[in-house]
Amino acid sequence: METPASIPNKHRIVCCIGDIHGHITKLQNLWSKYPKQTHVFLSGNHDLAFAGFLGVLPEPANGSKFSDTWSEYQMYEEKEGWYKEEGCERMHVQARKWGGKMSGFDSKGNAFMGSVYDAGPTFQSYGVPHGSRPDLIEAVPPEHKKFLAGLVWVRQDNVWVETEEGMKQVKLIAVHAGLEKNRGVEEQVAYLKARDTSIPKDLTNAPTILVSGHHGKLHTQGLGLIIDESGGQEHNPIAAIVLPSMTIVRDTHLLN
């Protein structure tokens, strides 16, 4: 987020950036276009899975076990090569997928990088063999574990957007993979705020802008925004949408 002096505070610039997928240089290039910022990092499925693999994920709020998250997806366990080594019995399903082993190609023709969650580069970045949980736990610094454990799952704010009728203030909900259509917004936001790791879109009457990433595409329709043009692919740019102008910017763009 950025608040230039030339813009009244109520019309401050809010920059919603899509999935990073480890491309730090691209992120820095995009940030450089808006240097006065306050950053809010949202947890996504890969961050949740990484935290779960390290053992720093919050326990389910309903008192259930992480192993209770397996049953809905257990039919895919062998196909997706879930992690089965020491500690797996205490892992969230996402963590087992993340730390497992998978080869071949996904539905888009992209080669899996170590696991169905493409965790190979993360293991490599810490200098440990893919799938080695004890080595990874030892290699990840405490400040990295604290960062992962403390990530918020949803961000709410009041923002301004430019419409055909002029400037309008709306409610912003930013969440990694969006919201479900068949469950109430307040219920889902409460679940996300509580960082509930158990496995469980109609919007409120107030004008609401919903920003998400996760889906590997750039799509804007009314006040529903999916910002993930990168999709984790090296050849794709990292995109953002800037409010209130609703302008799409990319790390490859040159701004005057």
Side-chain angles (χ1 to χ4, degrees):
M1 298 183 182
E2 180 179 87
T3 310
S6 59
I7 299 178
N9 186 57
K10 69 175 183 177
H11 291 172
R12 74 196 193 285
I13 289 178
V14 176
C15 186
C16 301
I17 301 175
D19 289 23
I20 309 307
H21 297 287
H23 297 303
I24 184 64
T25 301
K26 292 183 179 183
L27 177 62
Q28 290 171 333
N29 288 340
L30 191 55
W31 272 346
S32 69
K33 306 176 193 313
Y34 298 91
K36 300 177 182 178
Q37 303 183 43
T38 299
H39 304 134
V40 177
F41 293 94
L42 296 181
S43 177
N45 54 318
H46 290 257
D47 312 295
L48 182 149
F50 185 15
F53 195 77
L54 294 174
V56 299
L57 197 62
E59 295 287 339
N62 63 2
S64 62
K65 300 177 181 178
F66 283 133
S67 58
D68 294 336
T69 65
W70 304 353
S71 58
E72 185 177 350
Y73 309 96
Q74 205 141 19
M75 67 186 77
Y76 305 111
E77 180 175 0
E78 296 303 321
K79 179 181 178 181
E80 295 178 340
W82 294 8
Y83 181 79
K84 295 183 177 181
E85 306 302 323
E86 183 276 327
C88 73
E89 65 280 359
R90 298 184 299 278
M91 282 188 187
H92 192 283
V93 62
Q94 304 277 22
R96 291 194 63 194
K97 291 183 177 186
W98 187 88
K101 294 184 179 180
M102 182 72 169
S103 59
F105 299 84
D106 64 17
S107 59
K108 297 182 180 179
N110 301 311
F112 289 111
M113 293 182 284
S115 72
V116 71
Y117 266 33
D118 295 329
T122 302
F123 283 91
Q124 184 178 12
S125 70
Y126 287 103
V128 302
H130 178 80
S132 178
R133 184 171 183 253
D135 288 337
L136 187 64
I137 289 175
E138 183 177 353
V140 175
E143 58 269 26
H144 292 196
K145 294 173 183 173
K146 182 179 179 180
F147 174 81
L148 287 166
L151 286 173
V152 297
W153 291 7
V154 63
R155 169 73 177 188
Q156 291 180 284
D157 205 346
N158 293 317
V159 299
W160 292 82
V161 295
E162 292 181 4
T163 70
E164 294 180 354
E165 294 78 32
M167 297 291 290
K168 178 185 293 186
Q169 189 175 42
V170 300
K171 182 179 181 180
L172 167 71
I173 299 177
V175 59
H176 175 71
L179 298 177
E180 299 177 14
K181 291 182 179 180
N182 58 350
R183 294 175 61 191
V185 168
E186 296 306 320
E187 174 194 358
Q188 293 183 71
V189 168
Y191 166 90
L192 291 163
K193 280 186 173 180
R195 301 193 303 164
D196 188 346
T197 49
S198 58
I199 288 190
K201 289 170 192 153
D202 61 308
L203 295 181
T204 58
N205 292 329
T208 303
I209 184 168
L210 177 63
V211 182
S212 63
H214 180 70
H215 300 286
K217 62 182 179 180
L218 179 63
H219 178 77
T220 61
Q221 182 175 4
L223 296 180
L225 313 173
I226 300 175
I227 314 297
D228 185 19
E229 189 171 26
S230 164
Q233 301 305 305
E234 183 65 37
H235 58 276
N236 290 339
I238 289 180
I241 190 164
V242 179
L243 308 178
S245 66
M246 303 285 278
T247 301
I248 298 294
V249 296
R250 298 172 174 86
D251 68 286
T252 54
H253 285 177
L254 297 177
L255 299 185
N256 296 328

